[in-house]
Amino acid sequence: MSLLTLGCARNEVDSEELAGRLGEGGWELVDEGADVVVVNTCGFVEQAKKDSVDTLLAASDTGAKVVAVGCMAERYGKELADSLPEAAAVLGFDQYNDLAERLQDVLHGKPVESHVPVDRRTLLPITPVKRQEAKNDVQVPGHGWGPTKVQRKRLDDAPVAPLKIASGCDRRCSFCAIPSFRGAFVSRHPDEVVAEAMWLAENGVKELFLVSENSTSYGKDLPREQGALEQLLPRLASIPGVERVRVSYLQPAETKPSLVAAIAKTDKVANYFDMSFQHSSEHVLRRMRRFGDTDSFLKLVWQIREHAPEAGIRSNFIVGFPGETEEDLAELERFLTEARLDAVGIFGYSDEDGTEAEDLDGKLDADTIAERVQRIGNLVEELTSQRAEDRVGTEVVVLIEHEEDDESDCVGRAEHQAPEVDGECIVLDAEHLKRGDLVRCRVVDSEGVDLVCEVLGT
C-alpha cells in the first residue's frame, strides 16, 4: 500500500496518523508496486481539487486499486465516486477508524459504500464547552488517541514536523467552505499535544510547526485550568530535543496582547506571526464576514514589532472579492506598504461551492481579477524583497534542512521563515553541517525573499 498526500500541513498530519492506523492494521507502506494507493485529497480551492483528481487518475494508471480520503473525499463523497469510477472507494473521516478493513475489502474486490457528506458543523454541540465530551462520538482527525499513545508514523526524516493542536473552525467567513467539511472547532487536550510533541522529538524533530484551522481559538473549549495557547507554548518549548516551536494561522481579531507577548518572549518559540488578514478594507472584510480594517491591522503589526522588532509576519490576501472597488484595493495597497510583511500570498477570488460569497452581488470579471492579482503581486514582490534586504547584516539562527546540489552550501530556514512558503536561507561553505543542525549566521545578501548567509558558529 502507498499513501499520497496533497494540500496543507494539516493533511500531512492526517496522513501520518492514517499510516499509523494502517500499520497497526497489518498494512505495509511501499514507494512502488503497491496493490492499493490511498490518496489524501485536498478540497480547498478549484486548483487543489483538480490536482487531487489528477493524482487519483495517475494512481489508477499504475494498475493499483485507488482509494480517495481527505478533504475532497469528505466534502463530495458519493458525488466524487460517481464521477470518478477509477476510484475503488471514496471514504470520509468517519471511516478512518476501520480504514485497514476497508482497504482489505477494496483489495479483494468487495463493494465499499461511498461516503455521504453531511455538514460537519452539525455533528458537535454548538456550545464549545460541551464538545470535548461529544468528540469521541465523532471522528475528528487528530483527536482521540489519548496522552499515553501516539498513533502516528513519520513519513519522512525532516527536522521539522507539523503538530496539530486543534481541528475545525467556528468562524463563518463568507468565502470559505472548510468548516462545513472539517467541522466545528475542537482543541486537543494539552497533555495529548505534549505527548505527541515528545514522540516527535524522540524521532529527530527539532522544530514543531503547530497547525490548525484557527490556532488563536485553542483552549476555548477546554476547562480554564488547562489553559490556552499561552500556557501550551512553554510546555512544548521545554521538551528535550525541541529547539524551535512555530505557531501558524492566527486570526487578527482573536490575537490578544498576551498571546503576542507569549510568542515573542517565550524561549525557543519562533518570533513568527502567521496572520490571516485576507484583506484590509473594512468594506471588503465585512462582506467576507470578518473584522478589522487597515488601521487596526497596522496597530497589531506595530504591537508585534514592539515586542520583537525582527519578527517575521506573513499573511494571505484575497483580491477581486465581490464588490471590491478601486478604493478598497488602494486601502489594501496602503496596508501592505506600511506593514512591510515578510511573506505574502495573493489569491484571486473564485466561487466555492456552498459558500455565502457564491451568491453575493458585485462579482468582478476574470480579467479584472487577474489584473488586480498582478498589480498587488508586483507590489508584494517589491516590498518583501525590500524586507529581506533590510535583514542583510543581521544575525539569524538557521535550521539546516538539506544540502545544495554542489554539496558545499546548505539550505535551511531562519526564525522568520516557515516551511515551504516563506523563503529560505542559503548557508555558504557549510559542508561541515548536517541536516537538523542549528547554526548562527550573518546575513550577507538577499535574493528576493531568500537570504544568503555565512556561518558564525553553532
Side-chain angles (χ1 to χ4, degrees):
M1 182 271 298
S2 64
L3 179 58
L4 305 178
T5 306
L6 293 94
C8 65
R10 298 183 289 278
N11 256 21
E12 293 175 18
V13 178
D14 290 351
S15 285
E16 293 197 347
E17 290 167 354
L18 289 176
R21 288 175 181 269
L22 292 170
E24 289 194 352
W27 287 89
E28 181 182 355
L29 278 174
V30 297
D31 293 328
E32 296 181 355
D35 296 320
V36 179
V37 177
V38 177
V39 180
N40 189 357
T41 60
C42 178
F44 180 44
V45 294
E46 197 61 37
Q47 184 59 51
K49 288 181 274 190
K50 182 181 183 301
D51 291 344
S52 293
V53 170
D54 289 346
T55 302
L56 289 163
L57 292 173
S60 72
D61 288 342
T62 67
K65 295 182 182 295
V66 179
V67 176
V69 299
C71 291
M72 189 176 181
E74 174 66 36
R75 185 175 181 184
Y76 294 103
K78 191 174 185 304
E79 178 185 347
L80 177 61
D82 291 344
S83 63
L84 196 72
E86 291 85 354
V90 176
L91 305 178
F93 297 150
D94 291 328
Q95 294 162 298
Y96 282 9
N97 277 333
D98 57 358
L99 184 61
E101 290 82 0
R102 296 293 73 74
L103 294 192
Q104 287 289 350
D105 292 341
V106 167
L107 183 62
H108 294 99
K110 297 180 180 179
V112 176
E113 186 175 352
S114 298
H115 166 64
V116 178
V118 296
D119 187 336
R120 294 190 70 84
R121 292 170 294 189
T122 66
L123 299 182
L124 289 171
I126 295 175
T127 305
V129 294
K130 296 182 179 180
R131 290 180 189 159
Q132 290 295 321
E133 295 179 3
K135 74 178 182 184
N136 293 328
D137 298 324
V138 176
Q139 180 62 44
V140 180
H143 290 260
W145 324 141
T148 60
K149 181 181 180 182
V150 177
Q151 193 164 9
R152 179 174 175 179
K153 176 182 175 63
R154 292 213 70 198
L155 298 178
D156 61 37
D157 60 353
V160 56
L163 175 60
K164 190 179 294 187
I165 62 173
S167 292
C169 184
D170 287 342
R171 301 182 72 88
R172 294 296 180 265
C173 301
S174 63
F175 57 84
C176 184
I178 289 175
S180 66
F181 57 87
R182 276 289 181 177
F185 183 89
V186 185
S187 302
R188 294 181 71 188
H189 191 286
D191 292 346
E192 185 180 327
V193 177
V194 170
E196 187 166 320
M198 293 176 66
W199 177 83
L200 289 169
E202 291 166 0
N203 282 272
V205 171
K206 298 292 183 69
E207 178 177 319
L208 303 173
F209 186 33
L210 307 189
V211 299
S212 72
E213 279 74 25
N214 178 7
S215 296
T216 36
S217 282
Y218 180 79
K220 74 175 187 179
D221 51 334
L222 297 171
R224 181 172 298 179
E225 62 271 14
Q226 291 179 4
L229 193 54
E230 293 94 313
Q231 285 71 46
L232 179 63
L233 291 175
R235 293 185 63 185
L236 296 173
S238 66
I239 294 172
V242 171
E243 298 296 339
R244 185 182 287 166
V245 179
R246 184 182 304 277
V247 183
S248 71
Y249 216 76
L250 302 172
Q251 290 291 343
E254 299 178 35
T255 302
K256 300 177 291 185
S258 59
L259 179 57
V260 172
I263 293 174
K265 302 301 182 184
T266 303
D267 187 37
K268 294 188 177 181
V269 173
N271 283 323
Y272 175 82
F273 294 80
D274 177 14
M275 308 302 307
S276 176
F277 289 121
Q278 302 299 345
H279 211 284
S280 75
S281 163
E282 184 175 14
H283 165 244
V284 174
L285 288 166
R286 293 301 175 270
R287 286 175 68 84
M288 290 179 169
R289 294 208 178 279
R290 296 176 65 85
F291 302 96
D293 56 32
T294 298
D295 291 332
S296 65
F297 288 169
L298 286 172
K299 182 178 179 181
L300 177 57
V301 169
W302 307 149
Q303 183 185 72
I304 290 169
R305 292 197 171 128
E306 183 177 355
H307 282 287
E310 298 301 322
I313 307 176
R314 71 110 49 218
S315 191
N316 294 323
F317 297 87
I318 298 173
V319 175
F321 194 78
E324 181 189 65
T325 65
E326 280 292 334
E327 290 75 16
D328 296 323
L329 204 64
E331 192 70 357
L332 176 56
E333 289 174 322
R334 178 169 80 89
F335 171 73
L336 291 168
T337 302
E338 296 186 31
R340 296 179 62 79
L341 306 179
D342 292 86
V344 176
I346 301 296
F347 299 90
Y349 171 80
S350 61
D351 286 336
E352 274 296 301
D353 298 339
T355 61
E356 181 184 350
E358 192 177 20
D359 297 321
L360 287 177
D361 58 10
K363 294 287 180 64
L364 303 180
D365 63 78
D367 288 344
T368 299
I369 294 175
E371 185 277 327
R372 292 184 179 186
V373 168
Q374 184 68 44
R375 171 176 157 186
I376 299 299
N378 289 341
L379 175 63
V380 161
E381 183 176 358
E382 178 183 356
L383 292 171
T384 54
S385 295
Q386 289 174 1
R387 178 71 174 158
E389 288 175 11
D390 291 344
R391 294 186 183 274
V392 174
T394 65
E395 290 187 17
V396 293
V397 176
V398 178
L399 174 64
I400 301 298
E401 294 188 319
H402 61 86
E403 297 175 345
E404 282 280 64
D405 292 339
D406 63 8
E407 297 187 356
S408 63
D409 300 339
C410 286
V411 176
R413 290 177 298 101
E415 198 171 349
H416 69 282
Q417 296 168 318
E420 299 182 1
V421 294
D422 295 342
E424 57 191 16
C425 290
I426 302 165
V427 183
L428 304 176
D429 301 322
E431 60 271 11
H432 61 291
L433 298 175
K434 63 182 185 299
R435 195 180 199 191
D437 285 345
L438 275 92
V439 58
R440 288 194 310 112
C441 298
R442 184 178 303 281
V443 181
V444 296
D445 199 359
S446 64
E447 300 175 357
V449 295
D450 297 334
L451 303 181
V452 180
C453 306
E454 292 179 346
V455 175
L456 290 175
T458 57

